[in-house]
Amino acid sequence: MKRVLVFDSGVGGLSVLDAIASADMALELDFLADAAWLPYGLKADADVAARVPELIAAVAAEWRPDLVVIACNTASTIALAGTRAALPHTPVVGVVPPIKPAAAATQTGTFAILATPATIRRPYTLDLIAQFAADKNVIRVGSSVLVEAGERKLRGLPVDKAAVAAVIDEMFQAPGGERIDVVALSCTHFPLLLEELTVAAPQPCLWVDSGEAIARRVRALLDPQAGRAVARRAGFTTAAAARDLHGAFAARGFAEFVSISADAPFVTTPLP
């Protein structure tokens, strides 16, 4: 059975893992969360570019994935090339803001990009807008609050609905916001909040994320047999994250939990 390692700075990547798991592919799924450095958007680009390839390569040397998914928009835009260089014999798939499908789906000509502040301002995102949505009215909103909300939800803690509503209000009250009919969820944490986002929105809209596209890419690269994906091992760079998130991972079938040192050299230690 082919093995896929899904990586994120936190646990937003679970939205991508869920999409892969539901895509009728016989795979073993591992997850690596760099919780010690959450969120990457507040770190210097050079530091993320150095850390991510080293961390993933160290874990991959032990876990032996057939493919790696960087399920984090910030890490993908900064460290995808470096990770591919560090793993020359393993395919590495990155996540990009779903601007192309959002631009194709809008009926009003106005759509929104909801991302972290770091992703919103990156040249990579602006290039995607220029390439696929030059003739659209694109409303960009950056939020770190929603990252925290997604993490809290997976820990079984209450989500601050007022904070979610404030982000949604900012988006729909922007010039032209009343015409938004599609929202590109450009952080993997945000699909975890789909229910809260939908309730807070003042009008119906289509919420687009990258999960299904990543699952299709995994299928194209690995050509796995049809069947059920099996969750195997989850690793965290803080033991506290492993404890706090145990329920969310156990609910997805993960049975093996591993602590990984917060800084290089990245040593793995089984957790009870």
Side-chain angles (χ1 to χ4, degrees), residues 90-110:
T90 304
V92 181
V93 177
V95 176
V96 299
I99 292 169
K100 182 179 180 180
T106 180
Q107 299 296 306
T108 66
T110 297

Side-chain angles (χ1 to χ4, degrees), residues 2 7 11 15 21 29 39 42 45 58 61 78 86 92 96 98 105 117 122-123 127 142 159 167 183 190 221-223:
K2 301 289 182 65
F7 169 82
V11 293
S15 67
L29 301 177
L42 299 181
D45 285 8
I78 296 172
V92 181
V96 299
R122 291 197 185 285
D127 288 345
V159 173
V167 175
V183 180
F190 296 173
L221 289 170
L222 292 184
D223 190 25

Side-chain angles (χ1 to χ4, degrees), residues 45-115:
D45 285 8
D47 292 337
V48 174
R51 178 181 177 87
V52 170
E54 186 175 7
L55 172 57
I56 293 177
V59 173
E62 182 175 339
W63 293 7
R64 303 289 183 183
D66 296 292
L67 181 145
V68 172
V69 175
I70 300 181
C72 170
N73 285 274
T74 300
S76 293
T77 57
I78 296 172
L80 181 58
T83 305
R84 285 174 171 163
L87 296 171
H89 304 298
T90 304
V92 181
V93 177
V95 176
V96 299
I99 292 169
K100 182 179 180 180
T106 180
Q107 299 296 306
T108 66
T110 297
F111 71 92
I113 302 173
L114 190 57

Side-chain angles (χ1 to χ4, degrees), residues 1-270:
M1 188 180 290
K2 301 289 182 65
R3 182 175 299 155
V4 174
L5 171 60
V6 179
F7 169 82
D8 189 13
S9 57
V11 293
L14 282 177
S15 67
V16 175
L17 182 137
D18 289 344
I20 296 171
S22 63
D24 189 29
M25 294 185 284
L27 298 169
E28 286 186 334
L29 301 177
D30 291 335
F31 196 96
L32 171 59
D34 189 12
W37 265 45
L38 178 72
Y40 280 165
L42 299 181
K43 303 293 190 297
D45 285 8
D47 292 337
V48 174
R51 178 181 177 87
V52 170
E54 186 175 7
L55 172 57
I56 293 177
V59 173
E62 182 175 339
W63 293 7
R64 303 289 183 183
D66 296 292
L67 181 145
V68 172
V69 175
I70 300 181
C72 170
N73 285 274
T74 300
S76 293
T77 57
I78 296 172
L80 181 58
T83 305
R84 285 174 171 163
L87 296 171
H89 304 298
T90 304
V92 181
V93 177
V95 176
V96 299
I99 292 169
K100 182 179 180 180
T106 180
Q107 299 296 306
T108 66
T110 297
F111 71 92
I113 302 173
L114 190 57
T116 64
T119 297
I120 281 294
R121 63 174 179 263
R122 291 197 185 285
Y124 189 92
T125 302
L126 300 179
D127 288 345
L128 288 174
I129 294 172
Q131 184 176 358
F132 297 113
D135 61 340
K136 311 298 183 187
N137 178 26
V138 182
I139 295 171
R140 296 180 292 142
V141 176
S143 172
S144 296
V145 169
L146 294 183
V147 176
E148 179 181 353
E151 292 279 329
R152 287 182 60 84
K153 184 174 182 178
L154 283 183
R155 285 172 165 81
L157 300 173
V159 173
D160 187 342
K161 295 181 180 179
V164 173
V167 175
I168 291 297
D169 287 346
E170 178 185 353
M171 185 168 65
F172 282 95
Q173 291 175 12
E178 72 282 354
R179 290 176 54 81
I180 292 172
D181 62 346
V182 180
V183 180
L185 297 175
S186 303
C187 171
T188 54
H189 281 80
F190 296 173
L192 301 171
L193 297 167
L194 184 57
E195 179 181 352
E196 290 81 1
L197 294 169
T198 301
V199 169
Q203 61 204 44
C205 57
L206 175 66
W207 306 87
V208 180
D209 64 67
S210 301
E212 290 184 2
I214 294 300
R216 289 193 298 270
R217 186 60 177 157
V218 170
R219 186 189 303 277
L221 289 170
L222 292 184
D223 190 25
Q225 294 182 346
R228 185 175 65 89
V230 178
R232 189 178 73 118
R233 177 186 296 168
F236 306 84
T237 52
T238 66
R243 180 185 64 249
D244 294 345
L245 294 162
H246 184 276
F249 281 85
R252 289 167 168 82
F254 286 91
E256 184 177 350
F257 294 83
V258 177
S259 177
I260 301 163
S261 53
D263 297 297
F266 297 105
V267 178
T268 64
T269 306

